[in-house]
Amino acid sequence: MTKKFLLSENDIPRQWYNIVADMKTKPLPMLHPGTKQPLTVSDLEPIFARELCIQELSQERYIDIPDAVREVYKIYRPTPLVRAFGLEKALDTPAHIYFKNESVSPVGSHKLNSAIAQAYYNKEQGIRHLITETGAGQWGTALSFASHYFGLTLKVYMVKVSFEQKPYRKAIMNTWGAEVLPSPSDTTNAGRKILEKNPVASGSLGTAISEAIEVAISQPDSRYALGSVLNHVVLHQTIIGLEAEKQMEMAGAFPDIIIGCFGGGSNFSGIAFPFLRHQLTKGTPLRIIAAEPSSCPKLTRGEFQYDFGDEAGMTPLLPMFTLGHTFQPADIHAGGLRYHGAGTLVSQLKRDNLVEAQNIPQLETFEAATLFAKTEGIVPAPESAHAIASTIREARIAKEEGSAKTILFNLSGHGIMDLAAYAQYYAGELN
Amino acid sequence: MTKKFLLSENDIPRQWYNIVADMKTKPLPMLHPGTKQPLTVSDLEPIFARELCIQELSQERYIDIPDAVREVYKIYRPTPLVRAFGLEKALDTPAHIYFKNESVSPVGSHKLNSAIAQAYYNKEQGIRHLITETGAGQWGTALSFASHYFGLTLKVYMVKVSFEQKPYRKAIMNTWGAEVLPSPSDTTNAGRKILEKNPVASGSLGTAISEAIEVAISQPDSRYALGSVLNHVVLHQTIIGLEAEKQMEMAGAFPDIIIGCFGGGSNFSGIAFPFLRHQLTKGTPLRIIAAEPSSCPKLTRGEFQYDFGDEAGMTPLLPMFTLGHTFQPADIHAGGLRYHGAGTLVSQLKRDNLVEAQNIPQLETFEAATLFAKTEGIVPAPESAHAIASTIREARIAKEEGSAKTILFNLSGHGIMDLAAYAQYYAGELN
């Protein structure tokens, strides 16, 4: 009984996949916040490294992965695809459940896939300082490692509720030399404005993004870096699905359903888009489910409209499903999903009914996480637990229908740095 | 440039290696604590599952790995062998450095290799309850997972200083249903005796073992399980070296030096013994170095004599290098190395000059750990950091000598649950 489908380092893809090329309805353009005109590469250049701006607006189907990036990928890639026999048995389901295990990355999540690429392009351009935000800390940790690797300094604005819930996240970012500040902070206008209104504000990704952009554009040799939402981030994450595609072939199967947890869309798009390509180009039937928290339900309850990516309104206007850029989500443990909007690609695909969404209450995600840990041995990140909960829902439906569906979900990260949340759950203190 | 040498699930070894068969000088027998006669299987049977007692005294060269155990190994095995190019470059050494990455196990360390086997043999015999001790928590976590998998209950006595330093260890053990108690506790005679003398005793592995054995032998359908020191534990851990042997062949190299951190000997023996076999049977030159903490230097400063494995004197008498079974080591973060004695096999090999030892101050281990995290991306367990520090010492000597030595070390576990220790180190609060 083979559980794991493993590729060799030579099998690491040499190109990322850009789904825009295959979308029949292209997404609406991003707009300049001042002029309200469609965004150009030069509009974006003060914020991001030039190559990332080009990728952001690219319509090319495939974009080469630089050799230097592929070399760093070899630290942890290819990641395993695993048949979840233990979970299947516990659910007594005829469904075949597979998961792509991105938790084996040394920083514990898929975020490294884009962090390495972003640090590399900034370094190539001669940028010396990166500034970013982080929610649960997964992105900040990944960019800390990548920035150190390429010799860049990094400042991280960490959403305050997570900064306090997960003190050791700071330690791991410090390991790679990053400076970590709780957000809102008094180091920026955006932060001070929030603190004036509410001195004990617990923060949000939207606010942390405002602070990071403000610092990045006001300092020399500095750029901002974002861990989700945008097209270039999603592009880098397609390496997940491109590998999984080869591995599902090894398993002799093709998924009926693909599931990812959903914050801004990075891991979700990363696993889904390379498979969705088959549907877009060949009509292969496929359901794709975004699993979002009930407390931050942008895809299931948000509205599609132009909105800012940050709280203070410094980003371009993005056409997206959003709860409003000043939305303050509840302090759930899945800090990485506490974001008000969905990326433009996923938003358009949702409008075109190519992507579904489910929202899931926190307790259900911890029940799912614990069952997964018991049956598959891996304690999942609270974010990834949303994908597991949705997988369990679908596997139970498959059982009712007596249908041997193939379900693939992305295990975006492990929960070893989130054990305080599990301790609360075991103590009956979660709701 | 290939970094990782990966095997397929089919390559997982089908037998463990028992070095006793190839030792020219056999170890002295373990003695019954009452009669002082050489120990028999039936002496051990009240404490351990019968099959483990047979393995403990076996002289067979190879022992079959049960299919059911091999199936569970597939959750994380084979583990990668990695060429540490980043570390080599940072040290500017001509040495070639490889490490076996046991940190990819879902519990974060090599301990699962024996936990699975022990839980399996207990289950097969109809045992229903296991009791064990844990230092840093690595063994307790591994046995929690394995006990849950095979449907056994588990009670863990955790050394109090670690219980307090690492609160989330309890949460992960709870994930798999284990009950976790700080040791010394008031639930046993052994614990109460210590607490009477010193109500704030921080505990030791020796005391926790006494408590666990006391409970195991006084309850029906119960057995004790140990995570290191004994021959049957070391036997199971040889899967590390047996895999590494195949992977070094893939890399076209054979180690000149093998290094493992040393507590009781489980990960050290696991990586070293399959290679030492070449020296014992064919005279292949090889240096093997045990890296132990300066604060618990049993191999470098202990005496070879018969001693108890636990504080209260409930175990058999073992012929070993020991600091004395009542030795109380300092509260270093490498809790898994806070043990007074070395296993009998390693002790005999040390007497025969087939194994060397180095002792390393805590600060040097954290310096080494941080360099490793920066260059290889993985935050190591404080225990494994001893092996890294010793590797760095040898790589620097290789540089002075201008010699392209091949060094292999075992990364026994990651330090993601030890970030509080790193935070202390970064704050300059460690000594």
Side-chain angles (χ1 to χ4, degrees):
Chain A
M1 222 161 50
T2 297
K3 275 190 69 75
K4 296 195 300 295
F5 300 89
L6 302 172
L7 300 170
S8 76
E9 288 181 355
N10 271 335
D11 298 318
I12 296 175
R14 290 172 193 279
Q15 297 183 308
W16 294 300
Y17 169 61
N18 183 4
I19 199 168
V20 177
D22 290 321
M23 285 170 72
K24 276 165 203 87
T25 317
K26 304 294 181 198
L28 295 172
M30 294 184 274
L31 303 179
H32 188 286
T35 65
K36 305 286 192 301
Q37 291 302 301
L39 215 64
T40 63
V41 166
S42 55
D43 290 335
L44 283 168
E45 273 201 86
I47 305 180
F48 299 107
R50 180 171 166 79
E51 202 60 42
L52 298 170
C53 302
I54 294 170
Q55 291 177 357
E56 186 62 29
L57 301 178
S58 170
Q59 306 271 321
E60 294 291 321
R61 183 169 284 107
Y62 293 102
I63 292 176
D64 288 345
I65 302 176
D67 284 346
V69 170
R70 225 170 143 272
E71 277 307 310
V72 194
Y73 279 170
K74 287 184 186 174
I75 288 178
Y76 61 103
R77 304 209 72 84
T79 64
L81 180 85
V82 183
R83 174 82 184 268
F85 285 116
L87 182 61
E88 289 175 19
K89 197 175 152 198
L91 296 170
D92 188 25
T93 177
H96 294 194
I97 303 175
Y98 294 83
F99 64 93
K100 179 73 169 163
N101 187 0
E102 292 291 304
S103 80
V104 299
S105 128
V107 300
S109 84
H110 72 291
K111 291 290 188 189
L112 203 45
N113 299 328
S114 185
I116 293 166
Q118 292 191 44
Y120 167 78
Y121 288 119
N122 274 282
K123 175 67 177 180
E124 282 296 287
Q125 189 180 322
I127 303 299
R128 292 166 54 217
H129 311 291
L130 287 178
I131 300 96
T132 196
E133 81 296 324
T134 198
Q138 302 274 26
W139 168 247
T141 303
L143 196 62
S144 298
F145 172 71
S147 299
H148 171 80
Y149 190 93
F150 288 108
L152 304 163
T153 77
L154 177 67
K155 185 180 280 193
V156 182
Y157 286 91
M158 183 168 185
V159 177
K160 197 186 277 170
V161 56
S162 291
F163 187 89
E164 286 163 359
Q165 276 175 348
K166 304 172 203 279
Y168 302 137
R169 275 287 176 191
K170 181 171 177 294
I172 194 166
M173 290 187 262
N174 290 161
T175 300
W176 293 302
E179 182 188 355
V180 187
L181 301 162
S183 167
S185 78
D186 60 4
T187 65
T188 65
N189 292 327
R192 283 187 291 267
K193 225 164 119 185
I194 299 276
L195 289 174
E196 268 165 36
K197 280 188 238 159
N198 177 10
V200 294
S202 61
S204 71
L205 275 168
T207 300
I209 293 171
S210 297
E211 295 205 85
I213 294 179
E214 183 183 326
V215 175
I217 61 179
S218 62
Q219 274 187 186
D221 299 330
S222 300
R223 288 293 183 282
Y224 169 67
L226 184 65
S228 190
V229 182
L230 292 179
N231 300 352
H232 68 274
V233 184
V234 166
L235 174 77
H236 305 150
Q237 294 296 353
T238 58
I239 196 155
I240 302 171
L242 292 165
E243 281 182 11
E245 198 186 356
K246 296 186 195 187
Q247 290 164 310
M248 289 301 298
E249 266 174 44
M250 286 169 74
F254 191 88
D256 298 299
I257 305 175
I258 294 180
I259 299 173
C261 66
F262 198 88
S266 81
N267 96 88
F268 170 79
S269 308
I271 187 134
F273 286 2
F275 289 95
L276 187 51
R277 178 182 48 173
H278 294 261
Q279 188 169 31
L280 294 177
T281 60
K282 295 180 291 185
T284 313
L286 180 60
R287 285 179 60 208
I288 296 182
I289 302 173
E292 62 183 12
S294 294
S295 56
C296 197
K298 70 217 79 165
L299 286 172
T300 49
R301 297 196 190 148
E303 287 194 23
F304 182 83
Q305 59 187 45
Y306 273 100
D307 197 5
F308 292 106
D310 69 325
E311 194 275 340
M314 303 176 74
T315 70
L317 283 161
L318 306 175
M320 60 183 185
F321 281 93
T322 174
L323 297 159
H325 65 281
T326 58
F327 178 78
Q328 284 286 341
D331 295 348
I332 56 168
H333 284 285
L337 308 185
R338 292 175 76 249
Y339 185 69
H340 64 277
T344 61
L345 298 173
V346 170
S347 291
Q348 186 58 47
L349 293 165
K350 173 77 169 42
R351 290 178 87 195
D352 296 339
N353 296 316
L354 290 161
V355 157
E356 303 171 35
Q358 291 179 356
N359 69 66
I360 303 181
Q362 178 162 261
L363 262 186
E364 184 179 341
T365 66
F366 275 88
E367 283 159 16
T370 309
L371 180 61
F372 183 74
K374 285 188 167 165
T375 53
E376 296 296 325
I378 304 169
V379 179
E383 290 83 2
S384 317
H386 289 71
I388 299 169
S390 181
T391 297
I392 291 172
R393 286 185 183 182
E394 295 300 324
R396 287 188 172 138
I397 293 170
K399 184 181 177 183
E400 281 168 25
E401 297 175 349
S403 140
K405 282 196 182 119
T406 297
I407 306 174
L408 166 64
F409 75 88
N410 193 35
L411 184 72
S412 56
H414 67 61
I416 301 298
M417 268 181 272
D418 303 280
L419 288 169
Y422 282 88
Q424 271 190 28
Y425 171 62
Y426 301 141
E429 289 162 7
L430 272 197
N431 50 36
Chain B
M1 221 161 53
T2 297
K3 277 189 68 76
K4 298 196 299 295
F5 300 90
L6 301 172
L7 301 170
S8 76
E9 290 181 352
N10 269 337
D11 299 318
I12 297 175
R14 291 172 194 275
Q15 296 183 310
W16 294 299
Y17 169 60
N18 183 5
I19 200 169
V20 177
D22 290 320
M23 285 169 72
K24 277 166 201 87
T25 318
K26 304 294 180 199
L28 296 173
M30 295 185 274
L31 302 181
H32 188 284
T35 66
K36 306 286 192 299
Q37 291 301 303
L39 215 66
T40 63
V41 166
S42 55
D43 290 334
L44 282 170
E45 273 201 87
I47 304 182
F48 299 108
R50 180 173 166 78
E51 201 61 39
L52 299 170
C53 302
I54 294 170
Q55 291 178 358
E56 186 61 31
L57 301 179
S58 170
Q59 307 271 321
E60 293 293 319
R61 182 170 284 107
Y62 292 101
I63 292 176
D64 288 345
I65 302 176
D67 284 344
V69 170
R70 224 171 144 271
E71 277 308 309
V72 194
Y73 278 169
K74 287 185 186 174
I75 289 177
Y76 62 104
R77 305 209 71 85
T79 64
L81 180 85
V82 183
R83 174 81 183 269
F85 285 116
L87 182 60
E88 289 175 19
K89 197 176 151 198
L91 296 170
D92 187 26
T93 176
H96 295 194
I97 303 175
Y98 294 83
F99 64 92
K100 179 72 168 163
N101 187 359
E102 292 290 305
S103 80
V104 299
S105 127
V107 299
S109 83
H110 72 291
K111 291 290 189 189
L112 203 46
N113 300 329
S114 185
I116 293 166
Q118 292 192 43
Y120 167 78
Y121 288 120
N122 275 281
K123 175 67 177 181
E124 281 296 286
Q125 190 180 322
I127 302 299
R128 292 167 53 219
H129 311 292
L130 287 178
I131 300 98
T132 197
E133 81 296 323
T134 198
Q138 302 274 27
W139 168 248
T141 304
L143 195 62
S144 297
F145 171 72
S147 299
H148 172 79
Y149 189 94
F150 288 107
L152 304 163
T153 76
L154 177 67
K155 184 180 282 193
V156 181
Y157 285 91
M158 183 168 187
V159 177
K160 197 186 278 170
V161 56
S162 291
F163 187 88
E164 286 163 0
Q165 278 175 345
K166 305 172 204 276
Y168 303 137
R169 275 288 177 191
K170 181 171 178 294
I172 195 167
M173 290 187 260
N174 290 161
T175 300
W176 293 301
E179 181 188 356
V180 187
L181 301 163
S183 165
S185 78
D186 61 4
T187 65
T188 65
N189 292 329
R192 282 187 292 268
K193 225 164 119 184
I194 299 277
L195 289 174
E196 268 167 36
K197 280 188 237 160
N198 177 11
V200 294
S202 61
S204 71
L205 276 167
T207 300
I209 293 171
S210 297
E211 293 205 83
I213 295 179
E214 183 182 326
V215 174
I217 60 181
S218 62
Q219 272 186 185
D221 298 329
S222 300
R223 288 292 184 282
Y224 169 67
L226 183 65
S228 190
V229 181
L230 293 179
N231 300 351
H232 68 273
V233 183
V234 166
L235 174 77
H236 305 150
Q237 294 294 353
T238 59
I239 195 155
I240 303 171
L242 292 165
E243 281 183 10
E245 198 186 357
K246 296 186 196 187
Q247 290 164 310
M248 289 302 297
E249 266 175 43
M250 288 168 75
F254 191 88
D256 298 301
I257 305 175
I258 294 179
I259 299 173
C261 66
F262 197 88
S266 80
N267 96 88
F268 170 79
S269 308
I271 187 132
F273 285 2
F275 290 94
L276 187 51
R277 177 183 47 172
H278 294 261
Q279 187 169 31
L280 294 177
T281 60
K282 296 180 293 185
T284 313
L286 179 61
R287 284 178 60 206
I288 296 180
I289 302 173
E292 61 183 11
S294 294
S295 57
C296 197
K298 71 217 77 165
L299 285 172
T300 50
R301 297 197 190 147
E303 287 194 25
F304 182 84
Q305 59 186 47
Y306 273 100
D307 195 6
F308 292 107
D310 70 325
E311 195 276 340
M314 302 176 75
T315 70
L317 283 160
L318 306 175
M320 61 184 184
F321 281 93
T322 175
L323 297 160
H325 66 280
T326 59
F327 178 78
Q328 284 287 340
D331 295 347
I332 56 168
H333 283 285
L337 308 185
R338 293 175 77 249
Y339 185 69
H340 65 278
T344 61
L345 298 173
V346 170
S347 292
Q348 185 60 45
L349 293 165
K350 173 79 168 42
R351 292 180 85 196
D352 296 339
N353 296 315
L354 291 160
V355 157
E356 303 170 35
Q358 291 179 354
N359 69 68
I360 304 182
Q362 178 162 259
L363 262 186
E364 184 180 342
T365 67
F366 275 88
E367 282 160 17
T370 309
L371 180 62
F372 183 74
K374 286 188 167 164
T375 53
E376 295 296 324
I378 305 169
V379 179
E383 290 84 1
S384 316
H386 289 71
I388 299 169
S390 180
T391 297
I392 291 172
R393 286 185 181 182
E394 295 300 323
R396 287 189 171 136
I397 292 170
K399 185 181 175 184
E400 282 169 24
E401 297 175 349
S403 140
K405 281 192 183 125
T406 297
I407 305 174
L408 166 65
F409 76 87
N410 193 36
L411 184 72
S412 56
H414 66 62
I416 301 298
M417 268 181 273
D418 302 282
L419 288 170
Y422 282 87
Q424 271 191 28
Y425 171 62
Y426 300 142
E429 290 163 5
L430 271 196
N431 51 37

